[in-house]
C-alpha cells in the first residue's frame, strides 16, 4: 500500500514539524507511545508536556519513559488537557511547536472514561494561542463508540469553522473501510 495508514501519517507530520529543542504537548498520554516518540523528536534540549486524567495512563507513560531514560525531557500532569495553558509555564507560551491528541478511551481500561468535545475544543483553542506559526495540532479521532461519535461530530463542526486566516485544517481519512477506523484532523497555525 502506497498510502500511509493513519498512525504512520501522524508520525510523519510530527517528524516534519518537530526539531531538537522544541516544546511539544501530548494532550492524552494514553499508554505513553506518543510521549516517547515526542521525547525522542525534541531531543535532550526539548520539552514534552503530557496530560491525562487517568492514573493508569500516568503510570504506564512514566514507566515507558524510565525504560528509555527520557524522563528528564517530559513533564507529566495528572490533569485534563483543558488546563494546559495554566500548567505549561509562561516562558513556553508562544513557543509550542506541536501537539497530539488520541481521542476516545484508554485502550485496555475503563471505557466509560472518555475524552469530551468541550474539553478538547478548549485545549485546541488554548494551543492555538500558545503555538508558533506553522505549529501543528493533530487530532487522532477514534469514533467507533457512542461518545466517540459525539466528539467526532462536535470537533468536525468546530474545525470547519476555524478561520482560514488562523489555521489550515486537513482531514486525512480512509472512506471505504469498515468498523469506523480512526482518522486525523491536523490543524496548522498560520
Amino acid at each position: 500500500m502506497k498510502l500511509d495508514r493513519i498512525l504512520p501519517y501522524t508520525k510523519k507530520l510530527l517528524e516534519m514539524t518537530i526539531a531538537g529543542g522544541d516544546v511539544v504537548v501530548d494532550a492524552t498520554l494514553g499508554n505513553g507511545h506518543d510521549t516517547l516518540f515526542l521525547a525522542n523528536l525534541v531531543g535532550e534540549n526539548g520539552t514534552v508536556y503530557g496530560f491525562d486524567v487517568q492514573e493508569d495512563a500516568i503510570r504506564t507513560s512514566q514507566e515507558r519513559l524510565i525504560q528509555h531514560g527520557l524522563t528528564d525531557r517530559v513533564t507529566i500532569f495528572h490533569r485534563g488537557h483543558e488546563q494546559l495553558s495554566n500548567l505549561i509555564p509562561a516562558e513556553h507560551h508562544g513557543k509550542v511547536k506541536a501537539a497530539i491528541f488520541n481521542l476516545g478511551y484508554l485502550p485496555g481500561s475503563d471505557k466509560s472514561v472518555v475524552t469530551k468535545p468541550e474539553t478538547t475544543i478548549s485545549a485546541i483553542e488554548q494551543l492555538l494561542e500558545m503555538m508558533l506559526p506553522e505549529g501543528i495540532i493533530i487530532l487522532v479521532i477514534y469514533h467507533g463508540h457512542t461518545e466517540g461519535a459525539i466528539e467526532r461530530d462536535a470537533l468536525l463542526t468546530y474545525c470547519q469553522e476555524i478561520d482560514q486566516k488562523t489555521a489550515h485544517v486537513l482531514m486525512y481519512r480512509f472512506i471505504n473501510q469498515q468498523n469506523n477506523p480512526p482518522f486525523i484532523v491536523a490543524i496548522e497555525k498560520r
Side-chain angles (χ1 to χ4, degrees):
M1 183 169 166
K2 300 259 189 264
L3 295 173
D4 283 328
R5 296 192 186 279
I6 297 303
L7 297 181
Y9 187 63
T10 300
K11 288 185 174 185
K12 184 183 285 186
L13 289 173
L14 292 169
E15 288 170 337
M16 291 187 314
T17 304
I18 300 168
D22 282 340
V23 176
V24 301
V25 173
D26 185 348
T28 52
L29 288 171
N31 286 311
H33 297 289
D34 287 336
T35 315
L36 178 63
F37 183 72
L38 293 171
N40 280 306
L41 289 178
V42 300
E44 61 186 35
N45 296 317
T47 303
V48 179
Y49 292 106
F51 296 83
D52 212 294
V53 297
Q54 294 187 73
E55 187 62 45
D56 287 348
I58 302 295
R59 187 185 71 257
T60 302
S61 297
Q62 288 174 330
E63 288 170 0
R64 192 172 307 284
L65 292 166
I66 289 167
Q67 287 173 347
H68 291 88
L70 297 174
T71 56
D72 59 329
R73 340 182 155 172
V74 181
T75 300
I76 293 177
F77 297 103
H78 188 186
R79 305 288 287 277
H81 48 237
E82 73 277 10
Q83 298 178 45
L84 60 88
S85 66
N86 294 324
L87 296 171
I88 293 174
E91 66 263 16
H92 285 156
H93 290 215
K95 296 180 181 174
V96 175
K97 190 72 173 285
I100 185 162
F101 294 73
N102 279 285
L103 301 171
Y105 55 81
L106 177 63
S109 72
D110 181 356
K111 291 181 171 68
S112 70
V113 179
V114 296
T115 54
K116 302 285 187 187
E118 57 276 1
T119 60
T120 300
I121 290 169
S122 174
I124 293 167
E125 290 173 341
Q126 292 171 55
L127 283 165
L128 285 171
E129 291 293 321
M130 299 172 67
M131 293 193 101
L132 290 162
E134 298 184 351
I136 192 167
I137 301 167
I138 300 173
L139 311 173
V140 183
I141 301 174
Y142 292 87
H143 59 110
H145 55 101
T146 303
E147 294 294 321
I150 292 167
E151 186 169 36
R152 172 202 62 211
D153 294 346
L155 287 171
L156 290 177
T157 298
Y158 168 77
C159 288
Q160 288 171 344
E161 295 173 357
I162 295 174
D163 188 325
Q164 66 183 356
K165 294 176 185 164
T166 301
H168 302 286
V169 182
L170 164 81
M171 182 166 56
Y172 187 78
R173 175 182 204 168
F174 291 96
I175 61 174
N176 68 337
Q177 294 182 352
Q178 298 176 353
N179 301 319
N180 301 308
F183 65 94
I184 297 169
V185 173
I187 304 166
E188 181 185 36
K189 184 174 176 175
R190 292 193 65 169

